[in-house]
Amino acid sequence: MKRFSLFGECLMAGLLVLLAALPVVTVVPALAAGCAHIKAHVDGETTSIRSFFERVRSALPGGWVASLGVVAAFAVLVVDVVLLRTRVAGGGVVAVVCGVAAVGLAVVVLRAAALWSPGSRWPAVARAAGRRAASDFGGSLLLVMSLAVMLIVTWQLPPLVVPMAGCVLMAAVAVDRRHQPVSPVAGSSTSR
């Protein structure tokens, strides 16, 4: 039953993130609030809709600037891919490079969203996310795979974007939690 409740929270987080990201300048704060929502559920804290929007509000200072930068970077990469593939000789290679850059940017944004906590400053979070994306190749690859699954599933059945967005947020939290020390379980024996 507990696993099903986690799936329910991922579904709720996906829906709330998609709604909160509609104004575009709230994309990064919405992702951060979604990751914080899933962390709160896993840690047994409050996961109400009201607490989600309080997390969005807490992530907005500086987060709207990050959102504009991320949206602008993705827009430039998409325009480059479209123009280069169709109108420039040899543009296919550059289009692939732009595609790889877009995937890398998505991984850094997801890592930043998972690293964010109330009171964090976005420039510091972005630097830490970039360093972690480069140093933890396995975790970055897991996020790339989660994004690929989301794209494939939503391409086949677009309404599944809501639960898949929540699953990608859960993947970002899980990858981030790999770096935290594991606390011993109460009552477990450490003898060999």
Side-chain angles (χ1 to χ4, degrees):
M1 194 58 117
K2 188 154 178 94
R3 289 181 184 162
F4 187 71
S5 70
L6 179 59
F7 176 72
E9 287 300 324
C10 288
L11 182 65
M12 179 62 72
L15 177 64
L16 292 173
V17 165
L18 292 173
L19 289 174
L22 284 176
V24 179
V25 296
T26 57
V27 170
V28 173
L31 290 170
C35 287
H37 184 85
I38 291 172
K39 285 180 191 177
H41 173 74
V42 170
D43 295 341
E45 298 171 9
T46 304
T47 58
S48 67
I49 294 173
R50 180 182 199 143
S51 64
F52 172 83
F53 285 105
E54 288 171 359
R55 291 179 183 110
V56 171
R57 190 173 26 258
S58 177
L60 269 176
W64 67 271
V65 175
S67 294
L68 289 177
V70 166
V71 170
F74 276 120
V76 166
L77 290 169
V78 168
V79 168
D80 283 351
V81 167
V82 169
L83 291 178
L84 292 173
R85 277 191 64 219
T86 59
R87 298 191 178 142
V88 176
V93 173
V94 178
V96 168
V97 170
C98 288
V100 170
V103 170
L105 178 60
V107 166
V108 171
V109 168
L110 284 172
R111 283 189 173 266
L115 282 171
W116 177 84
S117 61
S120 300
R121 296 180 47 88
W122 279 108
V125 170
R127 284 190 298 273
R131 283 191 302 272
R132 194 168 279 183
S135 66
D136 179 22
F137 182 74
S140 296
L141 188 58
L142 288 170
L143 289 176
V144 169
M145 289 188 293
S146 73
L147 289 168
V149 169
M150 182 175 99
L151 289 174
I152 291 168
V153 168
T154 57
W155 168 68
Q156 293 175 348
L157 196 56
L160 289 179
V161 71
V162 173
M164 289 308 301
C167 290
V168 168
L169 293 171
M170 183 177 62
V173 169
V175 166
D176 181 56
R177 291 270 172 117
R178 291 174 9 161
H179 289 285
Q180 295 178 354
V182 178
S183 62
V185 178
S188 67
S189 171
T190 56
S191 61
R192 293 184 179 152

